Amino acid sequence: RFEAKNGCCNCSFWSRSDPNPTQIAQAKRENGDPKEVDRISLFFEEKIGPFILNTRNRLIVFIVLFAWIVVACIYTAKLEPTTSAEQFLDENHPLQVGVTILNNEFPKTQEDLTSQINFVWGLEEISRDGVNQLLDPKFVGNANFGEEFTFDETCQAAILNACDVLKTDPDLEEFILRENGLRAVDCFVEQLGSYNVNDGTDCIAFATGSWRNEEWEVSPEDLSATIGAFISQPSCKDPSKSEKRYFKESLGWDGSELKFAGISVQSSLLDPNGVLAEDVVRVHYDKFIGVAKEFDTTVGQACGTETTMTDLDQKFVFMNNQRIYRTSAVTGSMVGVAFAFVVVFISTLKLHLALFATLCILAVLLGVIGSVTMLGWTLGTIEAILISILAGFSVDYVIHLAHAYHHAEGDVDSRVIAAYGDMGISVFSGMLTSVVASIPLFFCTLTFFAKFGTFLCLTIVLSWIFANFGFMSLLAQFKVSMDKKWL
């Protein structure tokens, strides 16, 4: 064994305790020797216990804790979903400061790109099999194409009418970006119709719209040849790009068949590099969803498939994630509190112990959430995860004191003193070591570890305070007899 090995100069750095401390304690117990009590245990038994049993002191404790809970509730109600992308580095880190300046400090100009909203026909629900954006952020799934999609003359005319609605509907004025005085709406059917009428690219005829007075629709028999030649032409919207490249998001040509067709508009609000609050983005989302439903009754019926509205920058996905952060955090924490109630009740078989412990855990939950809101946190991925596991961290100390109180003997006052004497030092030591362990995390560069350290320290400290002063004060105040079964 390592402790039996000698060091240099034949010196031994380890020695076996014979007898060991456990054997010594067992021998003293068998001999009836008085139990040795350390100073900290005596402090909890002789100072904290009598302090809690004093009615005046309990009133002060209740006032202080209640005032803190009220303040925490106010700030908890102010917690909002995050409106920025998750930061992996501390906000004061030079790299993060540079990224923040680039994203937020430069004014937006007309030349800046905005998110593109697409209305597409011919697509069905995306297959999400194998999607794991933590490992492969670019893979969002495989497209499923509608077998009923038909790009005939009726469908083409319906899509063109939808383009005109997006360009002229006054209700969409604040939702679609204007470029050079015109709404930024890209509709490949317009250029396809102009190309079909003029037997080639004529940007002047396209701009004036003279082609609309002709039979511009492409028949299904000529569709393959016409689109095959059309996609290689330079686009009138951007001559440096071909029609295929310019309309790559709305023209689903696979070389022999048109799989989907669509219209794209530039959002007046959404930014590929920025993140906005859920309620702001949802106004735009609801509006575009309403437009898509209107198109279902016209374009959808003409083309044989429903309208799919989406943005490829996943701003609407992030909007939905913000809602999930809020609901999952609340649901997860409530499930944790309910589970803690069940655990305490099963451990003690006393309803009042489980009820008082659960109230203290709820108070800790509100206290931690209120505290981090005071620190300026918003509800993102990290915060939602931490709040979900908060109840599990909070139950430790209160269940130790509840167990000690349950197994003590005598009346309520005697049990309170015995619980402090038995578990006071253990609970205090657990709190102290956890707090000390969390301090190095405060100085971490990575945001997750820094936030976890803050969360852990707040949870541990508040759990200890409410377990020792809140929970034990409730027991001493209501003095529920332990002789009553289940109560």
Side-chain angles (χ1 to χ4, degrees):
R1 293 172 60 87
F2 175 77
E3 58 267 25
K5 295 180 180 180
N6 293 328
C8 62
C9 304
N10 204 33
C11 297
S12 178
F13 296 98
W14 302 89
S15 61
R16 183 187 297 276
S17 297
D18 189 18
N20 59 46
T22 302
Q23 292 172 334
I24 294 174
Q26 186 175 5
K28 288 183 177 181
R29 182 178 181 181
E30 293 174 351
N31 296 332
D33 294 342
K35 179 181 177 181
E36 296 182 3
V37 182
D38 59 272
R39 294 181 179 179
I40 299 179
S41 296
L42 284 175
F43 174 78
F44 278 97
E45 186 174 357
E46 297 178 356
K47 301 295 183 180
I48 302 297
F51 175 85
I52 293 298
L53 293 177
N54 184 285
T55 303
R56 177 175 170 273
N57 294 338
R58 285 201 305 273
L59 180 61
I60 296 175
V61 169
F62 283 139
I63 293 174
V64 172
L65 294 183
F66 181 77
W68 165 248
I69 292 173
V70 171
V71 174
C73 288
I74 294 173
Y75 277 91
T76 298
K78 296 180 179 180
L79 182 65
E80 298 179 350
T82 183
T83 58
S84 61
E86 297 287 347
Q87 296 182 355
F88 292 99
L89 298 174
D90 182 78
E91 61 180 7
N92 295 321
H93 192 280
L95 292 178
Q96 187 62 55
V97 170
V99 172
T100 302
I101 291 174
L102 289 174
N103 290 339
N104 302 329
E105 298 301 325
F106 287 95
K108 195 172 183 178
T109 68
Q110 184 176 341
E111 301 300 323
D112 291 335
L113 292 177
T114 60
S115 292
Q116 198 173 71
I117 309 300
N118 298 283
F119 299 91
V120 183
W121 298 270
L123 289 179
E124 295 182 349
E125 186 175 354
I126 303 298
S127 173
R128 303 295 181 182
D129 295 340
V131 174
N132 188 334
Q133 293 201 293
L134 290 176
L135 301 179
D136 187 2
K138 295 183 178 180
F139 179 62
V140 296
N142 296 309
N144 290 322
F145 302 105
E147 297 181 357
E148 304 297 325
F149 175 65
T150 55
F151 191 69
D152 55 15
E153 293 92 334
T154 304
C155 177
Q156 296 169 37
I159 293 178
L160 181 62
N161 289 333
C163 294
D164 294 337
V165 169
L166 293 172
K167 290 180 178 181
T168 59
D169 189 346
D171 292 339
L172 300 176
E173 179 64 34
E174 62 178 297
F175 299 95
I176 300 178
L177 182 71
R178 281 190 175 270
E179 292 180 343
N180 300 321
L182 300 175
R183 291 186 189 175
V185 178
D186 289 328
C187 184
F188 85 90
V189 172
E190 290 181 322
Q191 294 200 37
L192 177 63
S194 175
Y195 175 86
N196 190 43
V197 169
N198 297 288
D199 295 326
T201 301
D202 185 345
C203 292
I204 296 178
F206 163 74
T208 59
S210 59
W211 54 273
R212 290 174 177 258
N213 300 322
E214 308 291 337
E215 293 292 333
W216 61 268
E217 294 90 344
V218 181
S219 65
E221 296 80 13
D222 300 330
L223 187 62
S224 179
T226 303
I227 290 187
F230 167 73
I231 60 176
S232 63
Q233 300 295 311
S235 175
C236 291
K237 291 291 189 72
D238 186 353
S240 65
K241 298 179 181 180
S242 66
E243 300 285 15
K244 180 179 180 179
R245 183 182 175 191
Y246 186 84
F247 292 110
K248 62 181 180 179
E249 310 297 353
S250 56
L251 178 57
W253 179 253
D254 66 353
S256 61
E257 186 180 2
L258 190 67
K259 293 293 187 179
F260 64 87
I263 309 169
S264 61
V265 302
Q266 297 292 331
S267 170
S268 62
L269 174 74
L270 304 181
D271 182 355
N273 301 316
V275 179
L276 298 173
E278 176 195 1
D279 55 347
V280 176
V281 178
R282 189 164 293 279
V283 173
H284 281 241
Y285 175 79
D286 291 341
K287 187 62 178 180
F288 287 128
I289 282 292
V291 173
K293 291 181 178 179
E294 292 178 2
F295 286 165
D296 279 338
T297 61
T298 55
V299 186
Q301 291 182 2
C303 297
T305 61
E306 294 182 349
T307 308
T308 299
M309 189 281 295
T310 184
D311 75 299
L312 298 183
D313 295 322
Q314 300 190 43
K315 298 305 174 183
F316 294 146
V317 172
F318 187 80
M319 174 200 70
N320 188 59
N321 288 344
Q322 290 177 305
R323 180 184 61 82
I324 293 174
Y325 295 155
R326 183 178 66 253
T327 57
S328 64
V330 173
T331 302
S333 60
M334 291 299 103
V335 170
V337 170
F339 188 74
F341 174 85
V342 173
V343 170
V344 176
F345 181 73
I346 293 176
S347 302
T348 62
L349 295 179
K350 295 295 180 181
L351 181 61
H352 74 283
L353 292 181
L355 180 60
F356 293 161
T358 303
L359 290 176
C360 291
I361 294 172
L362 279 172
V364 173
L365 190 149
L366 292 172
V368 172
I369 297 176
S371 298
V372 298
T373 306
M374 295 177 198
L375 295 175
W377 289 19
T378 54
L379 191 56
T381 306
I382 297 174
E383 294 80 7
I385 294 173
L386 295 179
I387 292 174
S388 297
I389 63 176
L390 201 158
F393 278 98
S394 305
V395 72
D396 191 22
Y397 304 138
V398 72
I399 198 172
H400 278 81
L401 289 173
H403 184 266
Y405 179 88
H406 177 258
H407 286 277
E409 297 179 351
D411 58 8
V412 171
D413 291 359
S414 301
R415 288 173 181 269
V416 169
I417 296 295
Y420 275 121
D422 187 26
M423 277 293 165
I425 184 174
S426 300
V427 171
F428 177 78
S429 300
M431 180 273 295
L432 186 62
T433 53
S434 297
V435 169
V436 172
S438 69
I439 292 176
L441 295 175
F442 295 169
F443 307 100
C444 289
T445 302
L446 296 181
T447 303
F448 173 80
F449 295 109
K451 285 189 173 182
F452 183 78
T454 304
F455 167 84
L456 178 62
C457 184
L458 287 172
T459 304
I460 295 303
V461 170
L462 290 176
S463 298
W464 185 83
I465 291 174
F466 277 94
N468 281 273
F469 297 97
F471 177 69
M472 300 303 285
S473 294
L474 288 173
L475 292 175
Q477 180 66 34
F478 289 94
K479 297 185 181 301
V480 181
S481 174
M482 295 292 289
D483 296 331
K484 297 181 180 179
K485 188 176 181 180
W486 305 110
L487 184 59

